[in-house]
């Protein structure tokens, strides 16, 4: 969002003066209560323990996803909210099948096993697997320059790493994710028989990172199998290709695309005492990939969001607006839950004022990214002194969150919780995303931080 500097500066000063008159003592006391309660009597960590260790990975359409719906619905009912319900949504179903297998075969016949993970939405390989020569590229332009003559009948190996120069690792992820999502679509145009994509992670290890992919407008008869290779495997394959350009890559995966199935968003609310027909939302996505247990992505966001409403109930806080927690289904491979919620509130003409999402891991919170106009950015930044004791300092304009973004145009303010991002992509979408990587205190701090912004937005409203 481009904003003229001078008007923004004026607004910032204006809302700073307004903040002085808003009763900072009352607000600072409330924030202190929220943080103290989350840190001494929190439930997010226990909820996440159950989601991760008793239910596990919750891929859309799976039995585990169904268990997660029932579990979180029951937990929200126990909080004594004014209303808890399930919002039906049809979601894609894709199953991984047996564990994938892959090896690099040199011209001499020597085979070196490597680690891969089928990309979500991919077709399987033939029953006996797929073996072909490999062509390495780093961009779609490079692939196009090679053309059909050099690509047809081969496996395309996309090997563009995440850019380590970005301090915010989300930008590095965004700069490399197109090859994972659309690589098979582009490679199929030139007659490739398969796609291998470097895992989206800064960490060098043997754990491949899966994620969603799409065939775009490719005819179904031209679909080709696609898999992620670990970062160590990508480095090895690239090095061996330089020594032996005619080597072959073999991989076998048994994934399957099924018809859509019925699932649910899980929703609970506390009715507003002043504006019952004006809504504020806090949420995360209930589904996760299946190769880990989805603790950081996004079990953390789910339980932090539930904790926001629990904290309000625990402290007997009566919100002015109706506050909803929405646990969205199918963010990972379809965004059906977020789109469904946005469609329904639009059809019902429900006025939404504010939404905040947690979907960047359960690490130490640093602040918020904001999608709104200059006046609301200035007001939120005027609250910075209230957050300073908790080391919350980021109030940046930028992307809020995948599940709440479909509401854009029917809402005043969208916000995303911004935790420290340096370790997130070490585990994201991989077998490394497990409960033992969760720090209880960091998780609780994130919940309290979201609750604090929700309290302030509820108290003073959007501009």
């Amino acid at each position: 969002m481009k904003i003229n500097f001078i008007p923004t500066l004026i607004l910032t000063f204006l809302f700073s003066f307004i903040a002085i008159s808003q009763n900072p003592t009352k607000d600072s006391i409330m924030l202190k209560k929220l943080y103290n309660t989350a840190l001494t009597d929190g439930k997010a960590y226990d909820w996440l323990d159950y989601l991760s260790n008793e239910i596990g990975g919750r891929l859309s359409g799976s039995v585990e996803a169904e268990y997660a719906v029932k579990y979180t619905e029951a937990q929200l009912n126990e909080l004594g909210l004014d209303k808890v319900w399930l919002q039906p949504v049809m979601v894609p179903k894709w199953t991984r099948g047996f564990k994938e297998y892959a090896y690099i075969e040199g011209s001499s016949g020597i085979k070196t096993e490597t680690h891969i993970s089928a990309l979500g939405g991919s077709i399987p390989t033939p029953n006996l697997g797929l073996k072909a020569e490999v062509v390495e590229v780093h961009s779609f332009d490079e692939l196009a320059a090679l053309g059909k003559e050099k690509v047809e009948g081969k496996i395309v190996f996309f090997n563009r790493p995440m850019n380590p120069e970005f301090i915010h690792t989300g930008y590095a992820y965004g700069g490399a994710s197109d090859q994972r999502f659309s690589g098979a679509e582009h490679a199929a145009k030139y007659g490739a028989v398969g796609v291998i994509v470097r895992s989206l992670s800064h960490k060098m290890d043997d754990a491949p990172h899966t994620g969603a992919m799409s065939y775009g407008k490719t005819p179904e008869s031209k679909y080709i199998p696609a898999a992620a290779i670990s970062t160590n495997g990508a480095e090895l394959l690239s090095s061996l290709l330089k020594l032996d350009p005619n080597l072959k890559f073999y991989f076998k995966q048994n994934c399957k695309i099924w018809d859509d199935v019925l699932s649910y968003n899980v929703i609970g609310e506390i009715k507003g005492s002043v504006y019952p027909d004006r809504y504020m939302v806090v949420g995360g996505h209930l589904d996760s990939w299946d190769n880990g247990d989805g603790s950081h992505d996004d079990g953390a966001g789910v339980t932090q969001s539930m904790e926001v409403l629990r904290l309000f109930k625990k402290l007997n806080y009566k919100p002015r607006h109706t506050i909803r927690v929405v646990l969205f289904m199918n963010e990972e491979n379809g965004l059906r839950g977020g789109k469904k919620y946005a469609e329904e509130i639009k059809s019902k003409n429900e006025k939404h004022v504010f939404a905040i999402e947690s979907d960047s891991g359960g690490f130490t919170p640093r602040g918020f990214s904001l999608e709104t106009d200059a006046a609301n950015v200035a007001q939120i930044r005027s609250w910075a002194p209230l957050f300073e004791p908790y080391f919350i300092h980021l109030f940046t304009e930028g992307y809020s969150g995948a599940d709440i973004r479909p509401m854009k145009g029917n809402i005043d303010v969208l916000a995303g919780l911004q935790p420290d991002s340096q370790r997130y992509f070490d585990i994201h979408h991989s077998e490394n995303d497990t409960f033992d990587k969760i720090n209880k205190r960091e998780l609780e701090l994130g919940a309290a931080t979201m609750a604090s912004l929700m309290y302030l937005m509820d108290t003073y409203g959007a501009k």
Side-chain angles (χ1 to χ4, degrees):
M1 182 183 297
K2 294 183 178 179
I3 300 174
N4 185 278
F5 176 74
I6 298 300
T8 303
L9 188 61
I10 293 171
L11 283 167
T12 300
F13 281 122
L14 174 62
F15 285 114
S16 294
F17 285 121
I18 291 172
I20 293 173
S21 67
Q22 287 175 342
N23 195 349
T25 301
K26 173 179 72 72
D27 294 335
S28 61
I29 290 172
M30 183 60 180
L31 264 63
K32 184 66 172 175
K33 288 180 179 178
L34 289 168
Y35 277 93
N36 285 353
T37 306
L39 291 169
T40 63
D41 186 30
K43 282 283 290 180
Y45 189 77
D46 292 338
W47 283 330
L48 184 54
D49 186 359
Y50 191 93
L51 273 179
S52 301
N53 293 320
E54 299 300 323
I55 296 177
R58 304 169 296 279
L59 195 55
S60 290
S62 68
V63 172
E64 291 81 5
E66 183 179 347
Y67 289 159
V69 166
K70 292 177 180 178
Y71 173 69
T72 52
E73 179 191 22
Q75 295 305 305
L76 291 178
N77 274 314
E78 285 190 12
L79 297 183
L81 304 180
D82 294 317
K83 185 179 179 182
V84 176
W85 73 100
L86 302 182
Q87 183 178 67
V89 55
M90 297 299 294
V91 300
K93 180 174 181 177
W94 176 86
T95 53
R96 184 175 303 281
F98 298 115
K99 184 174 175 59
E100 304 88 341
Y101 177 71
Y103 61 76
I104 303 165
E105 182 178 285
S107 299
S108 64
I110 296 176
K111 299 175 182 177
T112 304
E113 290 187 19
T114 190
H115 301 271
I116 66 164
S117 178
L119 294 180
S122 174
I123 63 167
T125 59
N127 290 337
L128 296 179
L130 172 65
K131 184 193 291 187
E133 291 185 356
V134 179
V135 56
E136 178 180 353
V137 298
H138 301 86
S139 68
F140 296 151
D141 288 342
E142 193 175 325
L143 176 67
L146 290 175
K148 190 171 184 178
E149 182 180 347
K150 295 183 179 179
V151 173
E152 188 170 25
K154 296 182 180 179
I155 293 171
V156 173
F157 168 39
F158 287 99
N159 192 31
R160 180 177 2 123
M162 288 172 55
N163 187 342
E165 295 178 359
F166 287 114
I167 302 303
H168 191 313
T169 58
Y171 296 141
Y173 176 80
S177 61
D178 61 337
Q179 59 191 342
R180 187 198 71 202
F181 188 75
S182 302
E185 178 186 6
H186 284 263
K189 296 176 185 176
Y190 303 101
V193 295
V195 163
I196 297 295
V197 182
R198 182 190 183 99
S199 286
L200 301 181
S201 175
H202 287 307
K203 186 177 182 181
M204 299 306 302
D205 64 12
D206 293 317
H209 295 236
T210 191
M213 57 83 63
S214 171
Y215 291 107
K217 296 181 180 180
T218 306
E220 190 171 346
S221 61
K222 301 292 184 182
Y223 285 5
I224 57 177
I229 187 171
S230 70
T231 48
N232 279 345
E235 290 294 296
L236 176 63
L237 179 56
S238 182
S239 297
L240 292 178
L241 276 169
K242 291 177 175 63
L243 298 173
D244 184 359
N246 297 316
L247 63 75
K248 294 183 178 180
F249 191 87
Y250 170 88
F251 72 111
K252 177 175 171 53
Q253 56 190 40
N254 306 278
C255 43
K256 184 174 180 179
I257 303 169
W258 303 80
D259 292 336
D260 290 355
V261 299
L262 179 64
S263 190
Y264 303 91
N265 292 331
V266 183
I267 307 174
E269 71 177 26
I270 302 173
K271 205 71 174 174
S273 59
V274 179
Y275 307 111
D277 297 325
R278 295 170 67 86
Y279 301 90
M280 294 186 170
V281 167
V282 59
H285 65 86
L286 195 50
D287 62 305
S288 76
W289 288 105
D290 56 322
N291 43 2
D293 61 42
S295 287
H296 275 285
D297 186 20
D298 184 31
V302 163
T303 60
Q304 286 172 331
S305 298
M306 295 166 64
E307 179 74 344
V308 170
L309 272 69
R310 193 196 73 87
L311 289 172
F312 288 160
K313 292 289 290 185
K314 181 76 175 179
L315 296 173
N316 199 32
Y317 174 69
K318 308 295 185 185
R320 292 158 57 85
H321 302 76
T322 294
I323 296 179
R324 284 179 179 167
V325 58
V326 183
L327 311 181
F328 299 96
M329 183 57 71
N330 184 232
E331 186 273 345
E332 293 293 4
N333 60 335
L335 206 64
R336 301 281 184 86
K339 292 177 179 177
K340 180 68 173 180
Y341 184 79
E343 289 169 3
E344 287 214 1
I345 67 170
K346 186 175 182 180
S347 67
K348 294 178 180 178
N349 199 30
E350 291 181 348
K351 173 59 181 174
H352 277 57
V353 178
F354 174 67
I356 181 169
E357 179 172 349
S358 173
D359 186 18
S360 297
F363 298 105
T364 302
R366 301 298 188 197
F368 311 97
S369 56
L370 308 168
E371 287 190 89
T372 184
D373 58 23
N376 280 299
V377 170
Q379 174 176 238
I380 292 170
R381 284 177 176 166
S382 78
W383 299 329
L386 292 167
F387 285 98
E388 189 175 336
Y390 311 102
F391 299 156
I392 303 302
H393 63 280
L394 294 177
F395 300 88
T396 60
E397 294 177 70
Y399 186 76
S400 54
D403 281 305
I404 61 174
R405 213 155 188 250
M407 288 187 271
K408 198 169 183 178
N410 191 35
I411 194 166
D412 296 321
V413 182
L414 294 170
L417 180 68
Q418 291 295 304
D420 187 285
S421 70
Q422 302 313 311
R423 292 169 288 162
Y424 184 52
F425 292 101
D426 292 354
I427 64 173
H428 180 257
H429 292 184
S430 78
E431 63 193 47
N432 295 325
D433 188 3
T434 49
F435 185 71
D436 60 296
K437 310 301 191 305
I438 294 289
N439 178 281
K440 181 176 182 288
R441 186 173 178 84
E442 290 180 321
L443 184 76
E444 293 164 346
L445 286 168
T449 300
M450 287 201 296
S452 296
L453 185 59
M454 180 66 80
Y455 158 75
L456 291 166
M457 288 298 303
D458 178 55
T459 301
Y460 299 110
K463 296 300 174 184

